[in-house]
């Protein structure tokens, strides 16, 4: 469980719609998580403009001494990103799984309003299952 | 390297949970029937079905992208093919054919030889103006709007109006650029 520090989901306009932290490292309060989310949104957009290669869709992995940040952006503009231990494996597939869970348990919930913060219990349950068994399940994928 | 995008929806269709087709068809019929009772005007029902489809489409697109592993389409032609071969297969269990491209490549027809929505339906004389499957055009419009394509979707042929197939005309109105609106330079 120590592999992942936090998980963020931001909508296409850069608003944080979901935040969760795992374990003790890198825990942050609401204000910090909102700030980091909008900062990442802008950074991601700027990276697309700065990239020397055409057809660049933004930063996918940011590596630092104390953490890795993996980001997945869907074609509809929603961004999912995890902050995890340096060198943690299978984060791309984990993000894909989280995207599927989001489509199943968030978007299909008729009472979920698009682009609004996610408060869906089913999503929380399935998400924690996916994160808990990530190394077991994802290794086999 | 990313896996090559599948050109059919067969694999996804086989792996997702499905419901009995008759249950689906009858449920849809009940919805249309209820709308006719509530709204009385056929035109209003057409509008309402389109709006319902739109609301479905804007959510459905993410499920489609998540489950089909489709990557970015290079042009509208590819988009149309993907809708016809993968999209319709995953969500309706049938495939459509893409035909009648115009010269600019911005509008085409999706032809559905079979349409599970109309299986038991006969339109009465009072409902001749009803586009029974108008929800489908809304779904396509909503889904494409979420991936930056503004489209108009209209019915050309309809089995329920005595034609041999259902034909949807999809017209690309404009491609909304994905860049952020940086207005500093203007």
């Amino acid at each position: 469980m120590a592999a992942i520090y936090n998980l963020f989901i931001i909508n296409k306009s850069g608003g944080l719609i979901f935040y969760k932290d795992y374990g003790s490292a890198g825990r942050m309060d609401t204000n910090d998580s909102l700030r980091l989310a909008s900062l990442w949104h802008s950074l991601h957009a700027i990276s697309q403009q700065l990239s020397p290669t055409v057809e660049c869709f933004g930063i996918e992995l940011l590596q630092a001494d104390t953490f890795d940040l993996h980001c997945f952006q869907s074609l509809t503009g929603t961004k999912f990103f995890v902050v995890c231990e340096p060198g943690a494996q299978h984060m791309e597939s984990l993000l894909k799984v989280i995207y599927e869970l989001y489509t199943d348990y968030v978007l299909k919930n008729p009472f979920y309003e698009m682009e609004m913060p996610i408060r869906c219990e089913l999503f929380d349950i399935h998400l924690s299952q996916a994160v808990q068994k990530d190394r077991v399940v994802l290794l086999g994928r | 390297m990313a896996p090559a995008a599948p050109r059919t929806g067969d694999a996804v269709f086989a792996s997702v949970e499905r419901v009995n087709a008759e249950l689906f068809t009858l449920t849809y019929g009940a919805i249309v029937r209820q709308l006719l009772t509530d709204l009385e005007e056929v035109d209003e029902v057409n509008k309402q079905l389109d709006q319902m489809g739109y609301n479905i489409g804007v959510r459905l697109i993410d499920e489609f992208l998540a489950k089909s592993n489709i990557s970015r389409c290079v042009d509208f032609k590819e988009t149309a093919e993907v809708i016809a071969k993968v999209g319709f297969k995953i969500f309706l269990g049938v495939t459509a054919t893409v035909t009648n491209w115009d010269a600019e490549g911005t509008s085409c027809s999706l032809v559905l030889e079979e349409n599970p929505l109309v299986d038991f339906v006969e339109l009465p004389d009072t409902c001749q103006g009803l586009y029974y499957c108008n929800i489908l055009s809304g779904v396509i419009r909503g889904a494409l709007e979420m991936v930056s394509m503004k489209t108009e979707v209209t019915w050309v042929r309809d089995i329920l109006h005595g034609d041999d197939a259902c034909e949807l005309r999809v017209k690309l109105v404009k491609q909304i650029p994905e860049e952020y609106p940086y207005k500093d330079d203007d």
Side-chain angles (χ1 to χ4, degrees):
Chain A
M1 271 303 277
I4 298 166
Y5 300 149
N6 347 61
L7 164 70
F8 299 76
I9 304 178
I10 50 187
N11 66 18
K12 64 174 78 136
S13 22
L16 181 68
I17 55 171
F18 187 84
Y19 168 74
K20 197 164 172 65
D21 47 37
Y22 299 91
S24 52
R27 189 166 269 181
M28 53 184 83
D29 64 27
T30 317
N31 279 335
D32 284 343
S33 61
L34 285 167
R35 201 173 301 125
L36 190 87
S38 48
L39 201 65
W40 180 253
H41 180 72
S42 324
L43 212 58
H44 195 270
I46 293 167
S47 74
Q48 289 180 24
Q49 309 270 319
L50 284 181
S51 166
T53 54
V54 284
E55 296 284 288
C56 166
F57 302 117
I59 307 174
E60 288 170 2
L61 170 62
L62 177 89
Q63 287 182 303
D65 287 342
T66 51
F67 68 90
D68 282 1
L69 189 158
H70 292 261
C71 178
F72 165 74
Q73 182 177 29
S74 75
L75 291 180
T76 51
T78 311
K79 279 190 267 297
F80 301 78
F81 62 98
V82 286
V83 181
C84 57
E85 269 177 0
Q89 298 288 300
H90 308 295
M91 288 302 135
E92 287 80 15
S93 1
L94 177 70
L95 287 170
K96 273 279 172 67
V97 171
I98 295 173
Y99 182 35
E100 281 187 38
L101 293 176
Y102 166 78
T103 64
D104 277 341
Y105 299 104
V106 178
L107 293 180
K108 282 188 201 166
N109 178 353
F111 296 103
Y112 171 71
E113 298 254 9
M114 296 281 285
E115 316 291 330
M116 296 305 277
I118 298 169
R119 288 197 191 83
C120 303
E121 208 180 317
L122 282 174
F123 178 65
D124 291 339
I125 295 169
H126 285 89
L127 179 67
S128 35
Q129 282 174 358
V131 171
Q132 265 162 21
K133 55 184 184 184
D134 64 320
R135 266 153 297 167
V136 191
V137 175
L138 298 172
L139 277 170
R141 280 171 83 98
Chain B
M1 209 184 99
R7 291 292 104 175
T8 72
D10 295 345
V12 184
F13 182 69
S15 66
V16 294
E17 248 182 272
R18 276 156 286 161
V19 295
N20 183 289
E22 226 166 273
L23 171 71
F24 174 68
T25 307
L26 295 177
T27 309
Y28 184 69
I31 292 174
V32 177
R33 195 70 188 74
Q34 188 62 44
L35 284 175
L36 277 165
T37 312
D38 291 349
L39 300 170
E40 291 165 6
E41 296 283 331
V42 166
D43 286 345
E44 286 304 309
V45 176
N46 287 338
K47 252 186 246 166
Q48 190 62 35
L49 284 173
D50 182 73
Q51 185 59 40
M52 286 163 65
Y54 177 84
N55 294 342
I56 296 174
V58 296
R59 290 166 181 247
L60 188 93
I61 177 73
D62 270 306
E63 180 181 14
F64 172 71
L65 295 170
K67 302 215 165 133
S68 66
N69 272 321
I70 292 279
S71 50
R72 227 163 260 267
C73 293
V74 292
D75 55 15
F76 189 57
K77 286 203 165 164
E78 190 183 349
T79 309
E81 282 294 333
V82 166
I83 295 172
K85 296 287 175 305
V86 191
F88 272 103
K89 181 73 195 176
I90 293 178
F91 295 111
L92 270 190
V94 295
T95 55
T97 355
V98 187
T99 52
N100 294 340
W101 279 100
D102 67 349
E104 295 87 45
T106 55
S107 75
C108 66
S109 290
L110 299 176
V111 179
L112 280 167
E113 305 282 347
E114 334 166 55
N115 181 351
L117 286 178
V118 301
D119 273 352
F120 314 111
V121 185
E122 292 171 41
L123 280 189
D125 291 341
T126 49
C127 296
Q128 285 306 314
L130 177 70
Y131 294 113
Y132 186 82
C133 300
N134 220 25
I135 202 158
L136 295 183
S137 53
V139 170
I140 296 176
R141 187 168 63 87
L144 287 180
E145 191 168 308
M146 295 309 275
V147 283
S148 320
M149 279 173 268
K150 201 133 188 82
T151 49
E152 276 167 16
V153 186
T154 45
W155 289 96
V156 184
R157 285 188 288 160
D158 188 341
I159 295 173
L160 295 180
H161 291 137
D163 300 310
D164 50 350
C166 290
E167 179 175 345
L168 272 165
R169 191 85 193 148
V170 184
K171 182 171 188 293
L172 178 67
V173 181
K174 67 169 179 181
Q175 203 123 19
I176 313 151
E178 275 178 64
E179 281 99 58
Y180 296 88
Y182 292 118
K183 295 251 167 68
D184 296 0
D185 310 337
D186 315 328

